[in-house]
Amino acid sequence: MPELPEVETVRRSLERLIGGCLIAEVNVREPRLRKPLAPHFAAALAGRIVQSIGRRGKYLNIGLDNGQIWLIHLGMTGQLIVSNLQEPLRKHDHIVVTLGDKRSLRYNDTRRFGLMAIGEEAEIETLMGLGVEPLTASFSTRYLWDKVQHTQRTVKDVLMDQRVVAGVGNIYASELLFRAKVQPGRLAGTLEQAATARIVKATKAVLREAIAHRGSSISDYLDGEGQPGSFQQRFRVYDQEGKPCRSCATPILRETHGGRSSFFCPTCQA
Ligand SMILES: [Zn+2]
C-alpha cells in the first residue's frame, strides 16, 4: 500500500508531467472505487486546468483553476500513469483523463480501494481528517509525547493512526521503530521522553531517505512515469523475518497485530 514516500514520489512526477495541463475530457469506465465516484465527477473535472499538485499524508490533492481540489487516495493498488493517447487501455484502467496535448492520465486500480473526490478545500480537509505532516516542525517530540500519554494502544498503532500523524503505514512504522530502538508492540504510554524523541527523529529520517529512493515497490506501486522505487532494497526489518539483524545478527521476528505484520529485532529494540 502506498505510504507517504510513494505518494510524494507520484506527486513529484505528476508535477513535472501534468502541471499547467488542460483536462480536456474525462472518461469514467468504472465508478465503483472504495466509495462510488460522485455522479458529477467527470463534469466537474472536464475543462479545468491543473494549477498545483499537493500532498497531504497519503492523499494527493490537485489544485484546479476554479479553486476546487481534486482529491486522490491510491488505496492499495492505485496507479496514476501518464501515457500517449494511442497507447491501448489496460485492464483496470478505471478513469481516463485526456489532456489538452494528446496525452492521457490513467487511473488503474486492480483492487479498487482507491478514493477520489472533487470539492472545496475546506470540505476536502474535513473529509481527510488528518493529523500533522511528519516532515514539518509540527511533528515534534512535544506533540507526540502529548499523544502517547494516557493511551492503551501500542506505539505502532499510534504512529499508523492518520489522525495523529499523516502518511506513516505498516512498512515505514516497522522501519522507523527499528531505528528508534523501540518495539512495535510496546504500549505507547510506557515510552520515555528520550524514546519519543528518537521516534520523531527516526520518522523524519526514514521518510526522507525513502523519498530520496523514490519509495518502495513491493507489489504494484509505480510513479507517474511507470517507474518503480528502490527503497525496498534498504529495508532493515520489514519483510526480513528470520534474516540476521544488520546491527547484531539476531534473527528478525514477525508478529501479527490486528491482521498486520510487524517486524523487529528483539535485541536492538526494547
Ligand atoms: Zn539487532
Side-chain angles (χ1 to χ4, degrees):
M1 177 188 276
E3 301 180 29
L4 188 150
E6 291 76 41
V7 179
E8 176 61 19
T9 303
V10 171
R11 188 198 71 75
R12 291 178 184 189
S13 61
L14 290 182
E15 194 166 57
R16 252 191 334 270
L17 292 165
I18 68 163
C21 281
L22 169 72
I23 295 169
E25 206 182 306
V26 179
N27 179 13
V28 175
R29 305 174 71 235
E30 172 56 86
R32 293 171 301 169
L33 301 184
R34 190 185 340 162
K35 287 181 188 161
L37 285 181
H40 69 276
F41 176 84
L45 209 50
R48 303 267 61 94
I49 290 168
V50 174
Q51 277 203 326
S52 61
I53 297 167
R55 179 192 56 73
R56 186 79 172 84
K58 303 180 198 172
Y59 290 87
L60 288 164
N61 46 10
I62 300 182
L64 305 171
D65 63 337
N66 61 351
Q68 290 200 319
I69 303 282
W70 174 16
L71 181 76
I72 304 170
H73 191 289
L74 300 171
M76 305 199 51
T77 54
Q79 298 176 349
L80 283 164
I81 307 278
V82 177
S83 53
N84 288 322
L85 263 186
Q86 300 93 314
E87 211 135 302
L89 289 173
R90 293 185 302 159
K91 198 176 175 188
H92 310 298
D93 274 347
H94 302 313
I95 298 162
V96 180
V97 174
T98 304
L99 302 170
D101 58 6
K102 309 281 184 229
R103 291 179 304 153
S104 68
L105 172 66
R106 298 174 187 189
Y107 179 70
N108 188 285
D109 191 350
T110 313
R111 297 188 61 180
R112 291 197 270 119
F113 277 108
L115 196 71
M116 283 201 195
I118 294 178
E120 303 302 326
E121 196 162 2
E123 178 189 329
I124 293 287
E125 187 70 27
T126 310
L127 180 68
M128 292 189 287
L130 298 178
V132 298
E133 281 292 317
L135 294 177
T136 64
S138 304
F139 185 59
S140 62
T141 303
R142 181 181 291 194
Y143 174 83
L144 187 61
W145 179 246
D146 181 54
K147 298 290 178 192
V148 300
Q149 305 298 310
H150 319 297
T151 173
Q152 300 303 312
R153 296 192 293 170
T154 64
V155 176
K156 185 164 171 249
D157 281 347
V158 171
L159 290 171
M160 286 178 54
D161 183 346
Q162 303 300 298
R163 295 164 301 177
V164 174
V165 56
V168 176
N170 209 34
I171 294 175
Y172 296 102
S174 283
E175 288 297 309
L176 78 88
L177 286 171
F178 174 75
R179 296 195 195 194
K181 303 186 191 299
V182 172
Q183 290 204 5
R186 186 165 158 190
L187 289 177
T190 69
L191 283 177
E192 308 83 9
Q193 205 155 5
T196 308
R198 290 199 305 274
I199 289 172
V200 170
K201 197 173 163 207
T203 302
K204 293 175 194 275
V206 165
L207 294 177
R208 287 207 178 99
E209 205 180 307
I211 292 169
H213 288 86
R214 313 178 72 250
S216 307
S217 288
I218 43 173
S219 55
D220 302 84
Y221 159 72
L222 298 171
D223 71 7
E225 283 149 298
Q227 299 299 315
S230 67
F231 191 71
Q232 68 280 7
Q233 292 156 13
R234 305 176 75 84
F235 288 162
R236 309 226 184 130
V237 288
Y238 184 80
D239 210 16
Q240 308 295 306
E241 185 185 10
K243 292 185 186 166
C245 167
R246 292 211 207 168
S247 301
C248 74
T250 305
I252 299 299
L253 295 185
R254 180 171 73 96
E255 268 179 10
T256 312
H257 304 114
R260 312 294 305 271
S261 291
S262 296
F263 300 87
F264 64 99
C265 170
T267 305
C268 293
Q269 293 169 257

